[in-house]
């Protein structure tokens, strides 16, 4: 029989980490995601699976612990919310530069600065366009339910290891805090040291043995031409990810003349807005990007012929809308509707915005 | 003629440890980094723990330490080596994890990380090179720069009103219950190097015995940053650095 449980989004992250064989979690408290660390501490996974859980002294330390653990070829993760993720950017660019896999969860709150503890989606640029210095990309997954918070931990690790690249779950305070039924997966065993050496011994710092040269985890290369070659290699990897790993969901799109594009909790609101608009006779569908990098650019382009207009709905001043505009290249009208600072749009607001900005305008 | 023809096996009293690679070190001639590298490599070799040692390199002149000692290495961001080492040591409790950090790295940008790793008693060795200056970036003031010491950012000498006091970070660290062994050594004479080696060996042995954090400050020279010849730099260190940073054990439990 399937194992179901009612849980918060943040708790689902913690439970999934334990069950998918995560080796270590390093974090620092910040609302609205502290339940991840709290749940892990209460569950004592070190007794059950041997997973290391540590409350670091800061987000800076936490992400550098992730960097160290990831260098050992281990499954290591952290979670935080917006101001904490800003602090983690230093470590994230080092991890991307050293091409290490790891999982970072951002349960976004309103900013800028200390902002509010209420939900927002205003860290989109930071998540998908870089965030730290240098040319790098994260693999970014955007869950829209507590079930997906659970499922994307395993998926995030899988993609991170496949491409030796940091992955991020970009969630927000709504999904982190709401409770839903979750189907729990079976326990995956943690990899043994021998398995890690067999699988990642080629690069992980597991202790130098006579049969191989020393392994060095670094992002430093003082020689400009080699550094350029390395950057070209990174860019090639990102193009491959764009080709193979795009994920999205389409709802009521077959006959749609208008389209909402929204991710995460905004997509939940848009789902209701689709129903309300269709009651009024407006043929609107919803495209929900699940991966924000790689972005479902082609999926949007394929719909251009049938559309009279697109409304992106995000809890921000309009960040993802830029990627939609890039995708449609001016062939269809694209507008943005959103609330900021922790305010959440209602489905009626979204329908009104569609009528105002797209249908009438 | 080969070296082996001159020095017979039975006459050999000293040779380069095999753990030091043949790479040409980028350090300035006379720099203490080279001495400390040699000592660390010898200790790891003599303890036969090459397969169990993982070093965490800093940002600073020793950023390329991984080119010289033949073990697995992890390069950390400026000041963050203790956090990186924390994770490695927690995930591999039976390995010998150590950080190698300068004073800009450890006592400035990375103060929080070193304090908390030591306070948690992470089972690691910390090797702290205190040359009182930022070598790599061209001789700027470090937290450990002495009063009146000229640096490129204190061209008229370090002044309390402008820059505060030189930081005795090792004294602070000795207060922390997580540390088991805190010592201040140097490497300017053969006798000092022997003592330094003993200290580093003890620190690595402490890791084997899971005693907590061992912290070794090495009062060092940066002849380039100090703008002195290697010989003069050693003299300056003895005359000015040692009175403020006295050598010896601060804690041995
Ligand atoms: C975040 C960050 N800030 C500044 C620097 C520039 N930087 C490189 S080395 C260094 C000083 C290192 O001095 P120290 O730790 O004393 O080592 P030394 O070079 O003297 O051996 C600085 C400021 C950097 N690399 N990263
Ligand atoms: S700049 Fe100073 S610390 Fe750096 S290698 Fe030269 S002497 Fe050594």
């Amino acid at each position: 029989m399937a194992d179901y449980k009612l849980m918060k989004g943040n708790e689902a992250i913690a439970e999934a980490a334990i069950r998918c064989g995560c080796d270590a979690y390093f974090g620092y408290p910040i609302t609205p995601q502290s339940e991840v660390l709290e749940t892990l501490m209460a569950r004592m996974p070190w007794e059950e699976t041997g997973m290391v859980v540590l409350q670091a002294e800061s987000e800076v330390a936490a992400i550098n612990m992730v960097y160290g653990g990831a260098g050992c070829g281990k499954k290591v993760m952290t979670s935080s919310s917006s101001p904490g993720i800003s602090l983690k950017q230093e470590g994230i660019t080092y991890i991307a530069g050293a091409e290490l896999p790891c999982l970072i969860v951002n349960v976004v709150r309103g900013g800028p600065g200390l902002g509010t503890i209420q939900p927002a989606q205003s860290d989109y640029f930071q998540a998908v366009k870089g965030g730290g210095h240098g040319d790098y990309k994260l693999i970014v997954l955007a869950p829209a339910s507590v079930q997906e918070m659970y499922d994307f931990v395993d998926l995030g690790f899988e993609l991170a290891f496949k491409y030796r690249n940091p992955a991020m779950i970009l969630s927000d305070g709504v999904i982190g805090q709401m409770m839903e039924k979750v189907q729990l997966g079976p326990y995956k065993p943690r990899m043994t040291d021998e398995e890690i050496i067999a699988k990642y011994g080629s690069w992980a710092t597991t202790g130098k043995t006579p049969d191989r040269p020393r392994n060095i985890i670094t992002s430093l290369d003082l020689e400009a031409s080699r550094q350029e070659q390395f950057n070209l290699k990174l860019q090639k990897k990102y193009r491959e990810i764009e080709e193979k790993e795009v994920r999205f969901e389409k709802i009521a799109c077959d006959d749609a003349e208008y389209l909402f594009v929204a991710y995460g909790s905004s997509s939940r609101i848009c789902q209701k807005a689709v129903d309300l608009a269709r009651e009024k006779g407006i043929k609107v569908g919803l495209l929900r990007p699940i991966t924000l990098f790689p972005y479902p650019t082609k999926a949007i382009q394929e719909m251009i012929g049938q559309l009279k207009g697109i409304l992106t709905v995000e809890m921000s001043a309009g960040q993802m809308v830029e990627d939609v505009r890039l995708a449609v290249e001016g062939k269809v009208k694209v507008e943005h509707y959103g609330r900021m600072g922790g305010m959440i749009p209602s489905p009626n607001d979204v329908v009104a915005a569609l009528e105002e900005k797209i249908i009438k305008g | 003629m080969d070296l082996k023809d001159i020095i017979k096996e039975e006459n050999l009293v000293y040779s380069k440890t095999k753990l030091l690679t043949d790479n040409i070190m980028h350090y300035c001639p006379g720099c203490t980094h080279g001495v400390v590298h040699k000592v660390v490599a010898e200790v790891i070799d003599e303890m036969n723990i090459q397969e169990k040692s993982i070093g965490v390199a800093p940002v600073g002149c020793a950023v390329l330490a991984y080119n010289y000692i033949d073990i697995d290495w992890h390069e950390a961001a400026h000041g963050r080596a203790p956090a990186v080492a924390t994770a490695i040591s927690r995930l591999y409790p039976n390995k010998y994890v150590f950080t190698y950090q300068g004073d800009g790295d450890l006592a400035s940008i990375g103060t929080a990380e070193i304090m908390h790793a030591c306070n948690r008693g992470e089972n690691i060795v910390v090797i702290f090179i205190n040359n009182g200056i930022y070598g790599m970036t061209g001789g700027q003031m470090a937290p450990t720069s002495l009063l009146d010491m000229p640096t490129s950012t204190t061209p008229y000498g370090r002044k309390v009103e402008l820059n505060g006091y030189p930081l005795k970070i090792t004294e602070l660290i000795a207060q922390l219950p997580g540390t088991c062994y805190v010592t201040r050594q140097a490497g300017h004479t053969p006798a000092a190097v022997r003592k330094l080696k003993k200290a580093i060996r003890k620190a690595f042995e402490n890791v084997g015995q899971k005693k907590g954090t061992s912290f070794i400050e090495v009062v060092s020279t940066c002849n380039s940053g100090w703008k002195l010849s290697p010989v003069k730099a050693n003299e300056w260190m003895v005359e000015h650095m040692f009175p403020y940073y006295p050598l010896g054990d601060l804690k041995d439990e």
Side-chain angles (χ1 to χ4, degrees), chain B residues 79-159:
Chain B
R80 317 296 177 221
V84 171
T86 293
I88 301 174
S89 138
R90 294 245 176 175
L91 283 157
Y92 285 134
N94 295 323
K95 301 249 151 103
Y96 292 78
V97 181
F98 70 95
T99 72
Y100 186 104
Q101 305 176 258
D103 43 80
D105 192 85
L106 181 145
S108 196
I109 189 169
T111 335
E113 284 78 12
I114 193 61
M115 284 290 162
H116 289 278
C118 289
N119 198 46
R120 285 191 302 265
E122 298 299 341
N123 194 39
I124 58 172
V125 176
V126 177
I127 296 165
F128 167 45
I129 308 299
N130 177 10
N131 57 17
I133 209 159
Y134 288 7
M136 187 189 216
T137 39
Q140 296 86 1
M141 182 189 73
T144 49
S145 299
L146 298 174
L147 289 180
D148 294 326
M149 186 172 162
T151 73
S152 69
T153 50
T154 58
Y156 307 106
R158 180 182 188 153
K159 301 288 174 226

Side-chain angles (χ1 to χ4, degrees), chain A residues 186-204:
Chain A
Y187 280 79
K188 271 192 190 175
R190 289 176 54 221
M191 263 194 280
T192 63
D193 286 357
E194 290 71 33
E195 283 167 338
I196 287 168
I197 291 164
K199 200 161 177 194
Y200 307 116
S202 58
W203 56 265

Side-chain angles (χ1 to χ4, degrees), chain B residues 15 33 243 246:
Chain B
S15 65
H33 277 306

